[in-house]
Amino acid sequence: MLERFISMLSTTLVTEKIKFLPKQIELSQLVEQIQKRVIVQNNVTLTLLFLQIGFRINETMLQNKRAEYGKQIVPTLSAQLETKYDRSFTEKKL
């Protein structure tokens, strides 16, 4: 399921091309269009990253079972990732 989702999003992002604008449209509009596309691609990429982290935690650490120690794994992993990558790897996102 995850692989199909990743494939679908990747194909959409790679095959979609930037539309050329008529000459009369301001360059600022072109910049804004590209900025919006970058934001969307960034959000999709981060969403996929957090999905993959969640699946990896579930499969590797929890072995597809709900366990009491699972409640400790996410906070610990979150703290380690935030320390190493200085990003917002909050418990909620993981």
Side-chain angles (χ1 to χ4, degrees), residues 54-92:
F55 277 106
R56 181 99 25 114
I57 289 170
N58 187 43
E59 290 175 357
T60 307
M61 297 177 179
L62 299 178
Q63 298 175 347
N64 295 317
K65 298 176 186 173
R66 295 198 178 260
E68 285 302 313
Y69 68 87
K71 293 178 182 177
Q72 297 171 352
I73 290 173
V74 174
T76 302
L77 182 60
S78 172
Q80 290 172 351
L81 291 173
E82 285 184 323
T83 300
K84 184 171 183 175
Y85 296 108
D86 194 33
R87 292 191 176 233
S88 184
F89 287 96
T90 63
E91 292 177 39
K92 183 177 179 181

Side-chain angles (χ1 to χ4, degrees), residues 10-19 37 41:
S10 298
T11 303
T12 301
L13 293 175
V14 171
T15 58
E16 188 176 326
K17 296 189 170 133
I18 298 171
K19 296 178 176 91
R37 291 179 57 84
Q41 288 179 341

Side-chain angles (χ1 to χ4, degrees), residues 3 11 13 18 20 22 27 29 31-32 36 43-44 46 49 56 62 70 83 85 94:
E3 290 82 14
T11 303
L13 293 175
I18 298 171
F20 290 99
L27 287 177
Q29 289 177 314
V31 170
E32 290 170 9
K36 288 177 185 176
N43 288 340
V44 167
L46 285 174
L49 171 66
R56 181 99 25 114
L62 299 178
T83 300
Y85 296 108
L94 294 181

Side-chain angles (χ1 to χ4, degrees), residues 1-10 48 52 55 59:
M1 182 174 117
L2 178 62
E3 290 82 14
R4 184 172 178 227
F5 181 69
I6 292 170
S7 175
M8 179 185 69
L9 287 175
S10 298
L48 291 173
Q52 290 176 348
F55 277 106
E59 290 175 357

Side-chain angles (χ1 to χ4, degrees), residues 20-38:
F20 290 99
L21 301 171
K23 290 181 182 179
Q24 67 268 22
I25 295 182
E26 295 289 328
L27 287 177
S28 62
Q29 289 177 314
L30 177 62
V31 170
E32 290 170 9
Q33 177 188 11
I34 299 303
Q35 285 176 332
K36 288 177 185 176
R37 291 179 57 84
V38 168

